[in-house]
Amino acid sequence: MAASAYLLILLFFLSLHALHLAKSQPFIGVNYGQTADNLPPPSATAKLLQSTTIQKIRLYGTDPAIIKALANTGIEIVIGTGDVNGLASDPNFARSWVETNVVPYYPASKITLITVGNEVTMYGDRNLMLQLLPAMKNVQSALEVASLGGGKIKVSTVHTMSVLGQSDPPSAGVFEPGHADILKGLLEFNRENGSPFAVNPYPFFAYQTDPRPDTLAFCLFQPNPGRVDPNSKIKYMNMFDAQVDAVYSALNSMGFKDVEIMVAETGWPYKGDPDEAGTNIENARAYNKNLIAHLKSMAGTPLMPGKVIDTYLFALYDENLKPGKGSERAFGLFKPDLTMTYDIGLTKTANNQSSMAPQSPRQRLPPAASPTSQNLPSPPQMILPSPTSPSDKNSGQTDVHNSTPRSASLAHLCCSLSISTTMLFVSILYAFII
């Protein structure tokens, strides 16, 4: 009887957890870049975010107006700094930086992570890369002096996918040999302080190097034959999982598989230059909506089944002053007038869960060859995206038909059910028990 009562209580709390997930996505964040001259006031942005299920926001700097506007909203905030050399060379400068940019706002403004530098390895400046670790250590020490250490606010940096020397197939993921010594120190810091390894996977850029219809479906989480990793024999059904698992494999190869992975940026542009394949609203909506549905399923990735990774969508608004190709200025989920560029089900509604159903492709793909023996196609660097990703420069068996682990947990099951279905299940079980 005691065991039955325990099971009933467990199911009750799982139902509450499912209800919470229906109202918000605590693992979904958004990037808020400011390379623009037409952005709405921070107060309006704060209200906009509160009308959505977005629970995290990443800033590339420390704009006090934005940080203040987010006070008492419960929204978690990642702030950034690009002054790597200054923070590395002078502990007093790091303490002053924390006293100025963190202490006045915390805890009302829920700052959870500081990123020191952004995509530093992309520039090929080894001297700058070598400054990352001392800069991060000085910021961490400054947080501890301010009684904000011990996991209250963590410190890390953000990498592009080009930090990997190999990413295809995912099981063979390894870091670029020339960065290995630097990354080892950074990863030791991540492990010691419980901070994440932050990376920017962009299936969009992988598609640019291999713009075939089946690759597009693979990138957009749409029906496709899947691609088999010849080493692990795991069939991957989407590019996002393949890229993230390549990062996991690289971490594992260096002995750091226990370090959390954070997706600091990912997204799809809704328009671009004529030579940028797949840049339209339909694809942007499909990628972002299907990504959120995939994360909400709590399936994890084939090498990390059941693991939900904090993921920050790129981006909240377009940045109309960013240089580069047209796509660089077309990642915004919302317009400056606060209307949606396209709907991906982020607005808080009574039936938000149903709005997150995966976006089906508009056109059917031609019949494909039997997927059971299909391996990851050439070119071998297909999963590795271009190092010029958009950014603000200021182990388990899987079903061959999908990436969901065979041994889904009870919590996974309950969270996948609708709230009404879960409560009905609890009621029936209660009646059975008594």
Side-chain angles (χ1 to χ4, degrees), residues 32 34 58-63 67 78-82 97 392 394:
Y32 185 179
Q34 294 178 266
R58 178 185 171 218
L59 309 178
Y60 293 84
T62 56
D63 189 321
I67 297 174
V78 177
I79 61 174
T81 173
W97 188 91
D392 209 9
N394 292 307

Side-chain angles (χ1 to χ4, degrees), residues 335-370:
K335 300 176 182 178
D337 64 2
L338 306 179
T339 59
M340 290 182 290
T341 307
Y342 49 86
D343 188 3
I344 57 172
L346 288 175
T347 303
K348 288 179 179 175
T349 63
N351 194 30
N352 181 259
Q353 250 191 337
S354 63
S355 70
M356 294 309 301
Q359 184 77 23
S360 297
R362 289 178 175 266
Q363 296 181 340
R364 291 183 178 273
L365 294 174
S370 174

Side-chain angles (χ1 to χ4, degrees), residues 75-220:
I75 295 172
E76 296 183 8
I77 308 167
V78 177
I79 61 174
T81 173
D83 196 351
V84 177
N85 287 322
L87 293 167
S89 61
D90 188 355
N92 290 323
F93 178 79
R95 284 194 287 270
S96 175
W97 188 91
V98 168
E99 289 291 335
T100 301
N101 297 295
V102 180
V103 173
Y105 312 111
Y106 184 90
S109 295
K110 198 174 180 181
I111 300 169
T112 58
L113 179 68
I114 299 169
T115 57
V116 178
N118 185 51
E119 302 181 334
V120 170
T121 56
M122 182 181 74
Y123 302 109
D125 186 340
R126 185 169 176 81
N127 288 330
L128 183 60
M129 294 181 218
L130 289 169
Q131 297 305 305
L132 277 174
L133 183 56
M136 290 163 60
K137 285 183 175 180
N138 283 342
V139 172
Q140 181 67 46
S141 297
L143 288 171
E144 291 167 0
V145 169
S147 300
L148 297 177
K152 291 180 181 177
I153 300 176
K154 298 178 181 181
V155 181
S156 192
T157 189
V158 179
H159 305 276
T160 65
M161 284 293 288
S162 63
V163 76
L164 298 182
Q166 181 176 343
S167 60
D168 183 11
S171 62
V174 292
F175 290 115
E176 178 65 40
H179 303 334
D181 58 332
I182 295 172
L183 289 169
K184 185 175 185 295
L186 295 175
L187 287 166
E188 287 173 345
F189 176 92
N190 290 142
R191 173 185 281 166
E192 290 169 3
N193 295 281
S195 60
F197 181 83
V199 67
N200 298 339
Y202 277 92
F204 168 71
F205 290 113
Y207 176 59
Q208 298 306 296
T209 66
D210 183 22
R212 294 177 295 169
D214 65 320
T215 300
L216 180 61
F218 189 63
C219 288
L220 297 180

Side-chain angles (χ1 to χ4, degrees), residues 137-305:
K137 285 183 175 180
N138 283 342
V139 172
Q140 181 67 46
S141 297
L143 288 171
E144 291 167 0
V145 169
S147 300
L148 297 177
K152 291 180 181 177
I153 300 176
K154 298 178 181 181
V155 181
S156 192
T157 189
V158 179
H159 305 276
T160 65
M161 284 293 288
S162 63
V163 76
L164 298 182
Q166 181 176 343
S167 60
D168 183 11
S171 62
V174 292
F175 290 115
E176 178 65 40
H179 303 334
D181 58 332
I182 295 172
L183 289 169
K184 185 175 185 295
L186 295 175
L187 287 166
E188 287 173 345
F189 176 92
N190 290 142
R191 173 185 281 166
E192 290 169 3
N193 295 281
S195 60
F197 181 83
V199 67
N200 298 339
Y202 277 92
F204 168 71
F205 290 113
Y207 176 59
Q208 298 306 296
T209 66
D210 183 22
R212 294 177 295 169
D214 65 320
T215 300
L216 180 61
F218 189 63
C219 288
L220 297 180
F221 301 86
Q222 291 175 340
N224 68 91
R227 300 180 176 183
V228 176
D229 184 316
N231 300 324
S232 66
K233 308 305 179 185
I234 291 173
K235 174 175 284 189
Y236 283 85
M237 301 308 298
N238 65 80
M239 182 69 77
F240 180 83
D241 281 356
Q243 291 184 332
V244 172
D245 272 359
V247 175
Y248 176 82
S249 294
L251 291 172
N252 188 35
S253 71
M254 289 187 69
F256 292 96
K257 68 177 182 179
D258 55 317
V259 173
E260 296 283 333
I261 297 172
M262 180 183 98
V263 173
E265 289 181 24
T266 191
W268 197 285
Y270 63 87
K271 64 180 179 181
D273 292 339
D275 63 343
E276 294 186 282
T279 52
N280 56 60
I281 284 181
E282 289 77 14
N283 289 342
R285 180 192 294 115
Y287 178 75
N288 285 303
K289 189 170 185 176
N290 292 343
L291 170 62
I292 294 170
H294 179 57
L295 294 170
K296 281 192 68 177
S297 75
M298 301 183 72
T301 70
L303 294 184
M304 294 180 286

